[in-house]
Amino acid sequence: MLTDINNNKANDNKTMTSNLDVFQPPTFINTDDGNINILQLTDLHLYLDTSTTTSGINNHQSFVACLNQALNEDRRCDLILLTGDLVNEVDTIIYDRVFALLQQTGIPFACLAGNHDVTDEIDNGMSFEQRQFVAHNADPRLLSRHRIALNNWQLLLLDSSVPGKVYGSLGNKNLQWLRQTLANCHNPVMIAMHHHLLPMSSAWINAHITQDSSDFWALIKQFPQVKAVLTGHVHQNFESSKQGVAVYATPSTSYQFQPNQDEFGLDTEAKPGYRWLTLTAEGEIDTWVTRIAE
Ligand SMILES: [Fe+2]
Ligand SMILES: [Fe+2]
C-alpha cells in the first residue's frame, strides 16, 4: 500500500492545537488488488472523563472496543473514516486522545465534524427546549472540502456542521467546491459528511437533517459519477438510495437511537457498531454493518 501524505490545514476559522504540526491527512491511497477497504466509525460522543457512560455504555471504552474488533477482523483496512460527533464536550484533550489512538494503528485516517464537535449542549439532561447551545470552532484536524484519491475512486469529505446548531447545512462554499470538484472528476465518487441527507421515519431526527439537502440532490443529479453518500448523526443503520445514489448511515460506536419513532428515544437493545465499505476496482461498493460482540 502506498500512502501519500499532504499537509492540509484547510478548514476555515480553526484554532491551532499542539498536535496539529504532526497531523497530515491522506490525499491518495493505492492498493495492489484494486480494492479499497474503508472502516467507518461514527458518533463516538467522547467525554473528557473516560469513565462517563450513556445509557449504561462507557462511550470511550465502546469506541476503543469497536476499533479493536474491526481491526482484528481478517480484513485489510486501508482507511479509517470518522464521520463526526467525535466528542460530547468540545475539548482539545479529547481530540488529542482520539488522534493518538488512530495514529497508533498505522492506518491512514480522516475525521469530519458533527454538530457536537462545534456545539456544547449545556444541561443536556433537560429537554431540547430547555438546553443552551454554545457555538465552538471545530478542531483544525477535522477535515472539510478534502479529497482523497482511492485507486480509481474519489472520496470527497464535506463539513455539514453549523456552530451552535444541531441541524446540518452545507452552505454555498461547500456546494460550490463540490460542483467544481465533480466537474473535474469523472471517476466514481463517494461523498462523506456528518448530517443525513434523506428523511428517516422519525420526526425528531428529521428536524436535524441537512437543511439544504434539496440543493445537494439537485447538484448531484448533474454528476452520475457520484455512487454513494455516507453519513453518521442518526445513530442507527440506514441503507437507501435516491437518484441512483446509494445512501448509507451507520450505528454509533456508543448509544443508538430508537428507529421509526417520532419522539426521541434510545434503542437499548441495539449494540454499538461500525461499517465496512469496499470500493472495488470495477466501481462497485460492498458494504455492511457489524455490531460489537458482548
Ligand atoms: Fe451523534
Ligand atoms: Fe450528530
Side-chain angles (χ1 to χ4, degrees):
M1 184 174 70
L2 172 66
T3 303
D4 177 54
I5 297 297
N6 182 30
N7 190 17
N8 183 315
K9 301 176 184 177
N11 281 7
D12 303 329
N13 303 319
K14 305 295 165 74
T15 54
M16 299 294 287
T17 70
S18 56
N19 279 8
L20 185 58
D21 291 341
V22 296
F23 173 61
Q24 298 172 323
T27 55
F28 75 81
I29 299 170
N30 290 331
T31 63
D32 291 339
D33 65 1
N35 294 334
I36 292 282
N37 298 320
I38 299 174
L39 170 62
Q40 182 201 10
L41 299 160
T42 195
D43 294 272
L44 290 52
H45 289 269
L46 301 176
Y47 291 87
L48 194 55
D49 178 355
T50 56
S51 69
T52 306
T53 60
T54 305
S55 189
I57 295 172
N58 178 299
N59 302 38
H60 176 77
Q61 286 177 8
S62 188
F63 161 59
V64 172
C66 285
L67 181 64
N68 284 339
Q69 180 178 308
L71 297 184
N72 280 321
E73 291 183 35
D74 186 18
R75 181 173 300 104
R76 187 192 68 221
C77 181
D78 301 312
L79 175 69
I80 302 172
L81 179 60
L82 271 61
T83 47
D85 285 358
L86 275 63
V87 303
N88 214 68
E89 52 189 348
V90 181
D91 193 310
T92 299
I93 292 171
I94 313 176
Y95 292 101
D96 288 347
R97 201 182 280 151
V98 174
F99 278 69
L101 278 168
L102 294 172
Q103 276 163 346
Q104 278 172 25
T105 68
I107 297 167
F109 61 89
C111 305
L112 294 169
N115 47 301
H116 283 273
D117 297 295
V118 295
T119 306
D120 270 330
E121 293 186 16
I122 311 297
D123 299 325
N124 62 6
M126 314 283 275
S127 72
F128 251 70
E129 296 70 35
Q130 294 170 300
R131 294 180 197 176
Q132 289 180 58
F133 297 87
V134 179
H136 291 274
N137 287 330
D139 187 279
R141 292 163 287 190
L142 303 177
L143 301 172
S144 180
R145 300 194 288 279
H146 185 75
R147 171 174 167 163
I148 307 175
L150 304 169
N151 291 333
N152 61 331
W153 280 79
Q154 299 284 326
L155 175 62
L156 306 183
L157 308 180
L158 291 171
D159 179 6
S160 60
S161 69
V162 182
K165 303 294 181 189
V166 181
Y167 61 70
S169 175
L170 285 167
N172 288 337
K173 263 190 181 175
N174 282 323
L175 292 171
Q176 279 173 14
W177 179 86
L178 188 58
R179 181 184 297 282
Q180 284 171 359
T181 304
L182 290 172
N184 293 305
C185 166
H186 303 289
N187 290 339
V189 170
M190 183 165 76
I191 297 168
M193 53 189 270
H194 178 68
H195 292 80
H196 57 305
L197 287 150
L198 279 187
M200 313 284 294
S201 47
S202 290
W204 80 271
I205 293 178
N206 290 340
H208 309 310
I209 197 170
T210 306
Q211 301 294 294
D212 47 3
S213 60
S214 58
D215 295 336
F216 173 86
W217 287 112
L219 192 161
I220 291 305
K221 205 169 195 174
Q222 302 163 45
F223 299 100
Q225 66 268 44
V226 177
K227 303 298 181 194
V229 177
L230 177 66
T231 73
H233 194 49
V234 300
H235 291 229
Q236 62 194 277
N237 186 16
F238 179 80
E239 300 192 0
S240 186
S241 67
K242 182 180 171 81
Q243 299 171 186
V245 178
V247 179
Y248 305 116
T250 300
S252 160
T253 63
S254 181
Y255 56 93
Q256 315 306 319
F257 295 146
Q258 190 68 250
N260 309 314
Q261 186 170 294
D262 282 335
E263 302 293 321
F264 171 83
L266 295 180
D267 183 349
T268 54
E269 299 296 313
K271 296 274 181 276
Y274 49 88
R275 179 180 291 279
W276 283 103
L277 304 105
T278 299
L279 310 185
T280 73
E282 296 75 31
E284 304 292 327
I285 300 178
D286 293 329
T287 184
W288 63 96
V289 161
T290 302
R291 304 280 178 167
I292 200 166
E294 279 300 340

